[in-house]
Each structure stands twice: as structure tokens, then as C-alpha cells.
Amino acid sequence: MMNPLLATDALPNYDLIKPEHAEDAVHTQIIANRAEIEKLLASPSVTFEGLVKPFEVLQHRLSQIFAPISHLNAVANTAPLREAYAKCIGLLTAYHTEVGQHTGLAAAYAHIFSTQKLTLSAAEQRIVMNAIRDFRLAGIELAAAERNRFGTIMQALARSQSLFEEHVLDATRAWSFHATDSTQISGLPPHIIDQAQRAATAAGKPGWLFYLDQPTYVAAVTHADSRALRKLFYEAWVTRASDTGPHSPSYDNGPLLTEILTLRHEAATLLGFSNYAELSLATKMAKNTDEVLTFLRDMAAKYLPTARVEFATLSAFAGFAIEAWDVAYYSDKLQQKEHNISEEALRPWFPLTRVLPGLFQIIEKLYGVSITERSGVCVWDPTVRYFAVADSSGTEIGGLYADFYARQGKRAGAWMSEITVRKQIFGSLTIPVANVVCNFTLPAPQASALLTHSEVVTLFHEFGHALHHLLTTVDYPSIAGINGVPWDAVELPSQLMEQWAWRAECLPLISGHVDTGEPLSEAVLTDLLATRRFQAGLASVRQLEFALFDFVIHSQPAAPKTTDSIYGLLESVRSDISVVPSCPFNRFAHSFMHIFSGGYAAGYYSYKWAEVLSADVFAAFMERGIFDTITAKRFLASTLSQGGACDQMEAFVAFRGHRPDGNYLLRQDGVSV
Ligand SMILES: [Zn+2]
């Protein structure tokens, strides 16, 4: 039987895909790509048409085969799948290094650039220029021995980074808390208690069984009246995969922390950079390390006075010197007092059955595309849904899978990922398909999931990414959608989309009581919108602390040699900008997957950077009305549909008429500018 991953169907057949198919499919396609590349290079004349276009097709095919494997590894993780995934990563890393260091291919791209530049469109030029840059960043200019070393480093990094993530997942999964006394769990929201009761029953135990999935963790530290219980969850969370965490040392990421930083530093210096942060910026919108550090420190200085006042207010409200595990709990209580709002109490007004159609309506108003559910599409879990996206003429332009609920074996958090990237080369069109993944609590059978407003904002965020991916009009996959978009600009469409979840005009579209359909009252609506600025300073300095830690740790003249020195750097960042007292057992870096296993290494600053961009862009909408279709069309044309085909700063300035201005964000957060 044919390997289902090698089928050329539009959508993956998840019923047939098994872990044992993964390595074989990736291996088969790599062999085919390799042979095809040599064939293309053997042609007497290398041209854009004869080399770059077919090469785009080959790379697209490989990424399409790997996308379902990578996705399943994140949302339906099992031991065999994980093993298969690791093998694929090994194969792909070797292949990418080989292609990146292919002197014949690099020479061909350089030749095309010098001979054909003037005949190519701006997007086509960008593909060739990106490739030339990437050859350099893959070590093409190095002597043979160094080039081999560079390849070895890339392999080792890929392994260490996936092991880092596995440890966090395993450590999270291994932890549970069994309660038999209801007073212990007082304050926890009913849906979390119900879920824990079902888990206990399933495990043949009385009482309640809590796991460390993200919604449960957040609920525990925000709502548990028992300070001991909050501390228990907090400590379990911040010591995951560390030397002091539960199940240590099986999942201790300590050795991997130093190993990953050392390998990155060596790779950067081999390429002639002073440190990994410089290497990271070679593909970003920000131009140099000073620009990023200045940006982060300036923003921190602006937010700090507000954050200090907010923390003092919180401590005064609690009536004692609060610790890290008290912050969420007292913040929630203070927010209820100040704004009369409880996120939990508002859940019935945000049933997913209402939020989702409302979100689709907003997207349609802005960009003229309709999103319609399609049944009968093969999915990896019965709760997953599929939606077709059509333009105003009814033509299908993309699709998306929505996987909303938390479950065992699924990575925490929310994200958008690609299943298929748009491609229109040699007359054949492949439309883009996305995954939108969240970790909402699974409702009881037949019931609708009830979201907090924060979860609604998360949903908007991920759909913003999905729109970037799906509304692209770029034909070449390497620069279509989010591909080729610098990391520090990639959060612009997602953070921009969040803005509509915070507008009084939109809330009637996305809210309505689950039983009665009754809208939020005027007073509650006003209170809810006011919460946006609640503790904006504290949230921002926390985010800036992560960003500075990430950037500082990657811009050292030498990689830190011990976990103590890593935590020493974290402490020095914290002493500058943190307002919440640090707690001695915190092992936060040990599970900081964004930078140690994800793509945010020396790039975490991107969140704040893109927030500045999105607040500035949204100001353009506010100037003409948030549903102004002319503004939406201009944004679609300048940025959203262009993906990686344009220079992000030029696109921004073309849309806005000025360079990004942080004051829009500060004003939005209620911070004096
Ligand atoms: Zn995002």
C-alpha cells in the first residue's frame, strides 16, 4: 500500500497516517529532491524559470509531507510518533544543511541574480536574495572543515532542542495532584472541578485528579483559595523539567540549556558574528543588537513606573507581602473589585458557538472572505473541525482545521501552523491550509465550551496568524503567507486581530448568554473593556523581562557555561526591571520552550516589537472606523496578502506614512508617554 504521506491529495488522510510512515515518506522525498536538484543544475543554462521555480516546487512538496507529522507530534503526541518525528528532524536537518551548503546551487542563485535581476519581479528578486543570504547563513563561505563542523552543530542543535521540548512535555504530563477533601480545592471554577472529577473516575480514584495542563494550572493559581495549593501548582509549573522539579533528574533540562547556548554561539562565531543575537538579527526587521536592546530598555523604562504602582496597589489590597504564586489570585480579586469583573463569571456570555461565528463575521466585514464549516473532512481527533475559506466571489481560497481543546499528549498554549502553503507555479494552484490550535477546556458532552474573554482574545490572535497564511496572494511558497516574514514582524497580523476583540462595536457580535442569548449589559461591557488596561504595566514588564533575558543571554561574548550563570543573568535582568519578588526555587528557563526549542531564540523581543506595530496600524483603523473597508483593503494589499514578498518596514511605512511609533501602544495601555 502506498505511504499516505506521499499522497498528493489536497488534505492529509489522518485516518491512514501512522508513525511508521513518517521517516519513509520524508526519506523518499529527500532522495527525489536531491536527484532533481542535480538534474536541474546539469542544465546548460540556469535561469529563474529553469531552476528557482522547480526548486520552490520541490521544497514545497517536502514541507507538505512533513507538515502533518510535525503537527501530529504537537497535538497527538505518542512515544512511537515522537521517535518517528525525531528521525525526520534528523533527516531534514541534514538535508537542509546539505542544500544550504550546496556550492553548485549557491553559484546558480548568484548567477541568476547577476544575470537576470532586471527581468525579475520584486518578489522574485527577494526569493533569490533570501536564498543567497541563507546560503551564507548555512556556512557556504566556510572552508570545508568548518562547514562540516557547522553541519554537525545544526544536527546537534536540532536534537537538543527537540529533547528540551520532550522533557517539558513529559515533566508536565508526569505531574498530578489528587484531592479528596473539597475544602482543599475551594475557589476553583466548576469546569475545572468537573474535569478533575472525570479524571479521578477514569483513574479509578475517589475525589478529584488534577493534571498540570495549562488551563488547570492557570485556574489553580488564579482561583484556588488555598495559598498552599496555589504554591503547589506554581512550584510544579516553574520547576518543570528542572533539577528541582518533580521527577528530577529524568527530565532535567539543565545540561541542555548550556549545550544549546554553546552550540548556537559556536555556529554564530563560525559565520563571523560576535554572538548568536547578531546571527538571529540577520533575518529580522530590527537591524542590530543595539537597536533591540535600546528598544527593550526604553519600553521597560516607560512601563516601570506604572508597574511599580500596580504592584504596590496589589500588595496593599492583599494586605501582606505577596509572593509570585499570589499575584494572579489577588489580581483577579482586585479586578473584580475595581472593575466589577470576574473572567470566570463572564464565561456564559462567551460560548464558542457564539464567539466563532462572530469572529467570522468580523473577518468577513474587513476582508470580504467567508468561512464555512465543512463536514466529512478527515481529522486527528473527533473534536477537530474543518472550515473552508472563500473570497467574495465564492471561490475557495484556503482552508483551516480548528483544534480547540486541551487533552493529554497535546502541547500547551495556542498557535497557528501550516499544513499547506499557497503555491502557483507552472500553472498549477495549491491553496493554503492552516491549523488553529488552542487549549480550551473540553466541555461536557453536548455542552458548548464557555470561554473567558482572554481566551476569546487568544482565538482572535491565532486567527490573525491564520489570515496572514490564508489571504496571501503570493505564488512562491518560500515567501507566501508567513514564510519569509521576519520573526519580529510575524506577530503583527495576530496582535492586530486581537484589537477587534476589545471593541465595544464587536462585543455584541461575539457574545450572548449561552442559555438565553441575552447580550452583556452596557455596564458590564464598559467594565470589561476597562480591564484591558488593568495591570498593563505589570504584564508588560514581565514580557520585557523574558525578552531582555532572551536577548542578553544570546548576546554574551561567550556562551554561559553553567545553569548558575544563566540564572545569574536572569537575576541581573530582573534586578533592573522586575517588580514581583523573585522566588528562590524558580527554574523558569528550564521550560522556556519559546527560546530553547521554538523559533524565538534572540527573538522574543518580537512580541513587544510587533505590539508596537499593531497598535500603530490599528490607529489607522480607528481614524476611519474599525470596519472601514478602505483601510482594511489597504492593509490587505500592503501587508497581509504580501507575506514575505515585501520589505516589512517599507510595507509598514507605505501603509502608515511613518515609521513605527511606540507611543500608540503606550497610550493604548494607559501609560503616560
Ligand atoms: Zn502569535
Side-chain angles (χ1 to χ4, degrees), residues 3-53:
N3 187 326
L5 285 164
L6 292 172
T8 47
D9 302 343
L11 298 173
N13 190 333
Y14 287 106
D15 283 346
L16 298 181
I17 297 171
K18 301 279 175 280
E20 56 269 29
H21 296 128
E23 190 186 2
D24 170 61
V26 169
H27 187 61
T28 303
Q29 191 59 39
I30 285 177
I31 290 173
N33 281 20
R34 225 179 244 149
E36 199 57 36
I37 290 168
E38 295 314 317
K39 216 161 96 190
L40 295 170
L41 288 172
S43 158
S45 75
V46 285
T47 59
F48 189 89
E49 190 75 14
L51 177 75
V52 179
K53 282 190 178 179

Coordinates of all heavy atoms in Angstrom, one line a residue, residues 3-53:
N3 N 2.4 4.8 0.8 CA 2.5 5.6 2.0 C 1.6 6.8 2.0 O 1.6 7.6 1.0 CB 4.0 6.1 2.1 CG 4.3 6.8 3.4 OD1 3.4 7.5 4.0 ND2 5.5 6.6 3.9
P4 N 0.6 6.9 2.9 CA -0.4 8.0 2.8 C 0.2 9.4 2.9 O -0.4 10.4 2.4 CB -1.3 7.8 4.0 CG -0.5 6.9 4.9 CD 0.4 6.1 4.1
L5 N 1.4 9.5 3.4 CA 2.0 10.9 3.5 C 2.5 11.3 2.1 O 2.8 12.5 1.9 CB 3.2 10.9 4.5 CG 2.8 10.9 5.9 CD1 4.0 10.5 6.8 CD2 2.2 12.2 6.4
L6 N 2.7 10.3 1.2 CA 3.2 10.7 -0.1 C 2.0 10.9 -1.1 O 2.3 11.3 -2.3 CB 4.1 9.5 -0.7 CG 5.4 9.4 0.1 CD1 6.1 8.1 -0.4 CD2 6.3 10.6 -0.1
A7 N 0.8 10.7 -0.6 CA -0.4 11.0 -1.5 C -0.4 12.5 -1.8 O 0.1 13.3 -1.0 CB -1.6 10.6 -0.8
T8 N -0.9 12.8 -3.0 CA -0.9 14.3 -3.4 C -2.2 14.9 -3.2 O -2.6 15.9 -3.8 CB -0.4 14.4 -4.8 OG1 -1.1 13.5 -5.6 CG2 1.1 14.2 -5.0
D9 N -3.1 14.2 -2.3 CA -4.4 14.8 -2.1 C -4.2 16.2 -1.4 O -3.2 16.5 -0.9 CB -5.2 13.9 -1.0 CG -5.3 12.5 -1.6 OD1 -5.1 12.3 -2.8 OD2 -5.6 11.6 -0.7
A10 N -5.3 16.9 -1.5 CA -5.3 18.3 -1.0 C -5.1 18.3 0.5 O -4.4 19.1 1.0 CB -6.6 19.0 -1.4
L11 N -5.7 17.3 1.2 CA -5.7 17.3 2.7 C -5.1 16.0 3.1 O -5.4 14.9 2.5 CB -7.1 17.6 3.3 CG -7.7 18.9 2.9 CD1 -9.2 18.9 3.4 CD2 -6.9 20.1 3.6
P12 N -4.4 16.0 4.2 CA -3.8 14.7 4.7 C -4.9 13.7 5.2 O -5.9 14.1 5.7 CB -3.0 15.1 5.9 CG -2.9 16.6 5.9 CD -4.0 17.1 5.1
N13 N -4.6 12.4 4.9 CA -5.6 11.4 5.4 C -5.2 10.9 6.8 O -4.4 10.0 6.9 CB -5.6 10.3 4.4 CG -6.8 9.3 4.7 OD1 -7.2 9.2 5.8 ND2 -7.3 8.7 3.7
Y14 N -5.7 11.6 7.8 CA -5.2 11.3 9.2 C -5.6 9.9 9.6 O -5.1 9.4 10.6 CB -5.7 12.4 10.1 CG -5.0 13.7 10.0 CD1 -5.5 14.8 9.4 CD2 -3.6 13.8 10.4 CE1 -4.8 16.0 9.2 CE2 -2.9 15.0 10.3 CZ -3.5 16.1 9.7 OH -2.8 17.2 9.5
D15 N -6.7 9.4 9.0 CA -7.1 8.0 9.4 C -6.0 7.0 9.0 O -5.9 6.0 9.7 CB -8.4 7.6 8.6 CG -9.6 8.3 9.3 OD1 -9.4 8.8 10.4 OD2 -10.6 8.3 8.6
L16 N -5.3 7.3 8.0 CA -4.3 6.3 7.5 C -2.9 6.6 8.0 O -2.0 5.7 8.0 CB -4.3 6.3 6.0 CG -5.6 5.8 5.3 CD1 -5.4 5.8 3.8 CD2 -6.0 4.4 5.8
I17 N -2.6 7.8 8.3 CA -1.2 8.2 8.6 C -0.8 7.5 10.0 O -1.5 7.7 11.0 CB -1.0 9.7 8.7 CG1 -1.2 10.3 7.4 CG2 0.4 10.1 9.2 CD1 -1.3 11.8 7.4
K18 N 0.3 6.7 9.9 CA 0.8 6.1 11.2 C 2.3 6.5 11.4 O 2.9 6.9 10.4 CB 0.8 4.6 11.0 CG -0.6 4.0 10.7 CD -1.4 3.8 12.0 CE -2.8 3.4 11.8 NZ -3.8 4.4 11.4
P19 N 2.8 6.5 12.6 CA 4.1 6.9 12.8 C 5.2 6.2 11.9 O 6.1 6.9 11.5 CB 4.4 6.5 14.3 CG 3.0 6.5 14.9 CD 2.1 6.1 13.9
E20 N 4.9 5.0 11.6 CA 5.9 4.3 10.7 C 6.0 4.8 9.3 O 6.9 4.5 8.6 CB 5.6 2.8 10.7 CG 4.3 2.3 10.3 CD 3.3 2.2 11.4 OE1 3.4 2.9 12.5 OE2 2.3 1.4 11.3
H21 N 5.0 5.6 8.9 CA 5.1 6.2 7.6 C 6.0 7.4 7.5 O 6.4 7.8 6.4 CB 3.7 6.7 7.1 CG 2.7 5.6 7.0 ND1 1.4 5.6 7.6 CD2 2.8 4.4 6.3 CE1 0.8 4.5 7.3 NE2 1.6 3.7 6.6
A22 N 6.3 8.0 8.6 CA 6.9 9.3 8.6 C 8.3 9.3 8.0 O 8.6 10.0 7.0 CB 7.0 9.9 10.1
E23 N 9.2 8.5 8.6 CA 10.6 8.5 8.2 C 10.7 8.1 6.7 O 11.4 8.7 5.9 CB 11.4 7.5 9.1 CG 12.9 7.7 8.8 CD 13.6 6.6 9.6 OE1 13.0 5.7 10.3 OE2 14.9 6.6 9.5
D24 N 9.9 7.1 6.3 CA 9.9 6.6 5.0 C 9.5 7.7 4.0 O 10.2 7.9 2.9 CB 9.0 5.4 4.9 CG 8.8 4.9 3.4 OD1 9.8 4.6 2.8 OD2 7.6 5.0 2.9
A25 N 8.5 8.4 4.3 CA 8.0 9.4 3.4 C 9.0 10.6 3.2 O 9.3 11.0 2.1 CB 6.6 10.0 3.9
V26 N 9.5 11.0 4.4 CA 10.5 12.1 4.3 C 11.7 11.7 3.6 O 12.2 12.4 2.7 CB 10.8 12.6 5.7 CG1 12.0 13.6 5.8 CG2 9.6 13.3 6.4
H27 N 12.2 10.5 3.9 CA 13.4 9.9 3.2 C 13.2 9.8 1.7 O 14.0 10.3 0.9 CB 13.7 8.6 3.8 CG 15.0 8.0 3.4 ND1 16.2 8.6 3.6 CD2 15.3 6.8 2.7 CE1 17.1 7.9 3.1 NE2 16.6 6.8 2.5
T28 N 12.0 9.3 1.3 CA 11.8 9.1 -0.1 C 11.8 10.5 -0.8 O 12.4 10.6 -1.9 CB 10.3 8.5 -0.3 OG1 10.4 7.3 0.4 CG2 10.0 8.2 -1.8
Q29 N 11.1 11.5 -0.2 CA 11.1 12.8 -0.9 C 12.4 13.5 -0.9 O 12.8 14.1 -1.9 CB 10.0 13.7 -0.2 CG 9.7 14.9 -1.0 CD 9.2 14.6 -2.4 OE1 8.4 13.7 -2.6 NE2 9.6 15.4 -3.4
I30 N 13.2 13.3 0.1 CA 14.6 13.9 0.1 C 15.4 13.3 -1.0 O 16.1 14.0 -1.7 CB 15.2 13.7 1.5 CG1 14.6 14.6 2.5 CG2 16.7 13.9 1.4 CD1 15.1 14.5 3.9
I31 N 15.3 12.0 -1.2 CA 16.1 11.3 -2.3 C 15.6 11.9 -3.6 O 16.4 12.3 -4.5 CB 15.9 9.8 -2.2 CG1 16.6 9.2 -1.0 CG2 16.4 9.1 -3.5 CD1 16.4 7.8 -0.8
A32 N 14.3 12.0 -3.8 CA 13.8 12.6 -5.0 C 14.2 14.0 -5.2 O 14.7 14.4 -6.3 CB 12.2 12.5 -5.0
N33 N 14.2 14.8 -4.2 CA 14.6 16.2 -4.3 C 16.1 16.3 -4.7 O 16.5 17.1 -5.5 CB 14.4 17.0 -3.0 CG 13.0 17.4 -2.8 OD1 12.1 16.8 -3.4 ND2 12.8 18.3 -1.9
R34 N 16.9 15.5 -4.0 CA 18.3 15.5 -4.3 C 18.6 15.2 -5.7 O 19.4 16.0 -6.4 CB 18.9 14.4 -3.4 CG 20.2 14.8 -2.7 CD 20.7 13.6 -1.9 NE 20.6 13.9 -0.5 CZ 20.4 13.0 0.5 NH1 20.2 11.7 0.1 NH2 20.4 13.3 1.7
A35 N 18.0 14.2 -6.3 CA 18.2 13.8 -7.7 C 17.7 14.9 -8.6 O 18.4 15.3 -9.6 CB 17.5 12.5 -8.0
E36 N 16.6 15.5 -8.2 CA 16.0 16.5 -9.1 C 16.9 17.8 -9.1 O 17.1 18.4 -10.2 CB 14.6 16.8 -8.6 CG 13.7 17.5 -9.5 CD 13.5 16.8 -10.8 OE1 13.4 15.5 -10.8 OE2 13.4 17.5 -11.9
I37 N 17.5 18.1 -8.0 CA 18.3 19.3 -7.9 C 19.5 19.1 -8.8 O 19.9 20.0 -9.6 CB 18.8 19.6 -6.4 CG1 17.6 20.0 -5.6 CG2 19.9 20.6 -6.4 CD1 17.9 20.0 -4.1
E38 N 20.1 17.9 -8.8 CA 21.3 17.7 -9.6 C 20.9 17.7 -11.1 O 21.7 18.3 -11.9 CB 22.0 16.3 -9.3 CG 22.6 16.2 -7.9 CD 23.4 17.4 -7.5 OE1 24.2 17.9 -8.3 OE2 23.3 17.9 -6.4
K39 N 19.7 17.2 -11.4 CA 19.3 17.3 -12.8 C 19.1 18.7 -13.2 O 19.5 19.1 -14.3 CB 17.9 16.6 -12.9 CG 17.7 15.8 -14.2 CD 16.7 14.7 -14.1 CE 15.3 15.3 -14.6 NZ 14.2 14.4 -14.3
L40 N 18.5 19.6 -12.4 CA 18.3 21.0 -12.7 C 19.6 21.7 -12.9 O 19.8 22.5 -13.8 CB 17.5 21.7 -11.6 CG 16.1 21.2 -11.4 CD1 15.5 21.8 -10.1 CD2 15.2 21.6 -12.6
L41 N 20.6 21.4 -12.1 CA 21.9 22.1 -12.2 C 22.7 21.6 -13.4 O 23.6 22.3 -13.9 CB 22.7 21.8 -10.9 CG 22.2 22.6 -9.7 CD1 23.0 22.1 -8.4 CD2 22.3 24.1 -9.8
A42 N 22.3 20.4 -13.9 CA 23.1 19.9 -15.1 C 22.6 20.6 -16.4 O 23.3 20.5 -17.4 CB 22.8 18.4 -15.2
S43 N 21.5 21.4 -16.3 CA 21.1 22.1 -17.5 C 22.1 23.1 -17.9 O 22.8 23.7 -17.1 CB 19.8 22.8 -17.1 OG 19.5 23.8 -18.0
P44 N 22.3 23.2 -19.3 CA 23.4 24.1 -19.7 C 23.2 25.6 -19.3 O 24.2 26.3 -19.1 CB 23.3 24.0 -21.2 CG 22.1 23.2 -21.6 CD 21.6 22.5 -20.3
S45 N 21.9 26.0 -19.2 CA 21.8 27.4 -18.7 C 20.9 27.4 -17.5 O 19.8 26.9 -17.5 CB 21.2 28.3 -19.8 OG 19.8 28.0 -20.0
V46 N 21.4 28.0 -16.4 CA 20.5 28.1 -15.2 C 19.8 29.5 -15.2 O 20.4 30.5 -15.4 CB 21.3 28.0 -13.9 CG1 21.7 26.5 -13.7 CG2 22.5 28.9 -13.8
T47 N 18.5 29.4 -15.1 CA 17.6 30.6 -15.1 C 16.6 30.5 -13.9 O 16.4 29.4 -13.3 CB 16.8 30.6 -16.4 OG1 16.0 29.5 -16.5 CG2 17.7 30.8 -17.6
F48 N 15.9 31.6 -13.7 CA 14.9 31.6 -12.7 C 13.8 30.6 -13.0 O 13.4 29.8 -12.2 CB 14.3 33.0 -12.6 CG 13.4 33.1 -11.4 CD1 13.8 33.6 -10.2 CD2 12.0 32.9 -11.5 CE1 13.0 33.7 -9.1 CE2 11.1 33.0 -10.4 CZ 11.7 33.4 -9.2
E49 N 13.4 30.6 -14.3 CA 12.3 29.7 -14.7 C 12.8 28.2 -14.6 O 12.0 27.4 -14.2 CB 12.1 30.1 -16.2 CG 10.9 29.4 -16.8 CD 9.5 30.0 -16.4 OE1 9.6 31.1 -15.8 OE2 8.5 29.4 -16.6
G50 N 14.0 28.0 -15.0 CA 14.5 26.6 -15.1 C 15.0 26.0 -13.8 O 15.2 24.8 -13.6
L51 N 15.4 26.9 -12.8 CA 15.9 26.4 -11.5 C 15.1 26.8 -10.3 O 14.6 26.0 -9.5 CB 17.4 26.9 -11.4 CG 18.0 26.4 -10.0 CD1 18.3 24.9 -10.0 CD2 19.2 27.2 -9.7
V52 N 14.9 28.1 -10.2 CA 14.2 28.6 -8.9 C 12.8 28.1 -8.8 O 12.4 27.6 -7.8 CB 14.3 30.1 -8.8 CG1 13.6 30.6 -7.6 CG2 15.8 30.6 -8.9
K53 N 12.1 28.2 -9.9 CA 10.7 27.7 -9.9 C 10.6 26.2 -9.5 O 9.8 25.9 -8.6 CB 10.0 28.0 -11.2 CG 9.5 29.5 -11.3 CD 8.7 29.7 -12.5 CE 8.2 31.1 -12.7 NZ 7.3 31.3 -13.9

